[in-house]
Amino acid sequence: MTVGIIGLGLIGGSFAKAYSRAGHKVLGLDTDIAMLQYAIMSGKVSAVLEDNLLSQCDLILICTYPEAMISFLNEKGNKIGVKPVVIDCCGTKRNIVEHGFAVAGKYGFSYVGGHPMAGTQYSGFKYSDEDLFSGSTMVIVPENTDDLLFLDRVKQLLMPAGFGRVTVTTADKHDEIIAFTSQLAHIVSNAFIKSPTSRKHFGISAGSYRDLTRVAWLNPEMWAQLFLDNDDNLLNEIDILIGNLVQYRDAIAEGDKNRLISLLEEGRRIKEEVDGK
């Protein structure tokens, strides 16, 4: 199989390393020429993904910011041809897949929206890992969820990356859920670390601090755009969180132990339910 990867940062680089390890030919493209050359020198990318090679790929993964993904399809869509399956890996889906489906329909290639549910707080090819996706979930958003043969083809193309599961959903559902499971978590972590106490904690912190602050170390430009692309869902989750925090604050301020126990028990119970314990 020949895999074309646009964007060789953490996600694209990890795809390149995973497919290369599995014995597949990887062609790469990145605006950072030095990074592209390094990826080729490392042996994880065979060659530059030139325009004339796009149509020879079995799979094309676009691992860029949303604006760059849209620009790539606009500029190169007429060169892709009918052979490849194109999958973007952007963190929101509604605006992205709407554009992707339109361009794919215009030029006759196959496209699905995608979102690999894996990552770290770091970015760049040097932090990419061939095992990043091992056992994780890949979310895909097809135009037609009833085309089982095509969906199976997509799953087979993705399997060399090591995913444990491929989940099919809609763009609306993806963006609603991701606002809670990922975007809100990044905002909470980033806001939490701003306490002046963060500079005094050394020697008096443990796992809970590390877990909560891990994703405070983020890519501001990328995450700001993702937040704005999903503002309606994210604002709803922020409002819910604020409302819940106020309840805890009021119970503590009023010395209402029974109310506080009730709130804590409710949260513990919901965690138990959603984790299936």
Side-chain angles (χ1 to χ4, degrees):
M1 171 168 42
T2 299
V3 182
I5 301 177
I6 296 91
L8 293 170
L10 175 69
I11 299 300
S14 296
F15 272 124
K17 292 178 180 180
Y19 278 98
S20 177
R21 178 179 62 179
H24 300 291
K25 182 178 181 181
V26 177
L27 305 175
L29 192 64
D30 198 282
T31 55
D32 186 334
I33 303 303
M35 181 184 295
L36 176 58
Q37 292 175 339
Y38 175 75
I40 294 174
M41 289 176 58
S42 73
K44 305 306 180 182
V45 173
S46 299
V48 177
L49 180 58
E50 305 284 1
D51 287 358
N52 64 307
L53 298 177
L54 287 168
S55 62
Q56 299 180 28
C57 295
D58 298 285
L59 173 65
I60 295 175
L61 296 165
I62 306 177
C63 308
T64 66
Y65 291 1
E67 299 92 333
M69 178 272 183
I70 291 173
S71 296
F72 178 83
L73 286 187
N74 287 341
E75 295 171 9
K76 310 295 185 181
N78 63 339
K79 299 177 175 64
I80 291 174
V82 298
K83 180 182 179 182
V85 171
V86 178
I87 305 176
D88 82 85
C89 297
C90 299
T92 57
K93 294 271 72 84
R94 284 176 295 179
N95 295 337
I96 293 297
V97 299
E98 181 180 1
H99 189 84
F101 293 145
V103 177
K106 179 179 179 180
Y107 294 115
F109 61 84
S110 299
Y111 162 82
V112 295
H115 189 181
M117 303 307 296
T120 73
Q121 66 268 43
Y122 305 110
S123 59
F125 186 84
K126 69 177 181 179
Y127 294 111
S128 60
D129 184 348
E130 61 187 16
D131 291 316
L132 182 66
F133 309 116
S134 181
S136 64
T137 297
M138 177 68 173
V139 179
I140 59 172
V141 179
E143 188 170 24
N144 180 6
T145 58
D146 297 325
D147 190 343
L148 299 183
L149 287 177
F150 175 66
L151 293 178
D152 185 66
R153 179 186 173 199
V154 172
K155 291 178 182 179
Q156 294 306 314
L157 289 170
L158 289 167
M159 282 302 101
F163 291 106
R165 179 180 181 182
V166 175
T167 298
V168 180
T169 189
T170 65
D172 286 340
K173 179 59 68 175
H174 170 276
D175 286 2
E176 175 190 357
I177 300 300
I178 212 69
F180 171 71
T181 60
S182 178
Q183 295 180 341
L184 181 65
H186 280 77
I187 285 180
V188 169
S189 181
N190 197 265
F192 177 85
I193 199 65
K194 293 179 180 179
S195 167
T197 312
S198 68
R199 292 167 174 81
K200 307 173 185 177
H201 78 87
F202 301 102
I204 318 177
S205 63
S208 56
Y209 167 82
R210 291 193 301 271
D211 291 344
L212 186 54
T213 59
R214 180 179 66 84
V215 293
W217 194 344
L218 46 68
N219 181 326
E221 182 180 353
M222 181 186 76
W223 281 101
Q225 188 58 59
L226 292 174
F227 294 158
L228 294 175
D229 286 346
N230 199 26
D231 57 353
D232 54 342
N233 288 311
L234 184 53
L235 286 172
N236 181 59
E237 292 296 341
I238 291 173
D239 288 343
I240 291 172
L241 176 62
I242 291 172
N244 287 330
L245 287 174
V246 167
Q247 292 186 60
Y248 289 91
R249 186 195 183 284
D250 288 350
I252 294 170
E254 296 165 9
D256 191 338
K257 183 178 180 180
N258 290 335
R259 175 60 177 154
L260 188 56
I261 290 174
S262 177
L263 290 168
L264 294 170
E265 172 60 27
E266 180 185 27
R268 187 205 61 79
R269 176 179 53 78
I270 293 174
K271 172 64 174 175
E272 185 177 48
E273 290 174 359
V274 299
D275 284 357
K277 300 296 185 181

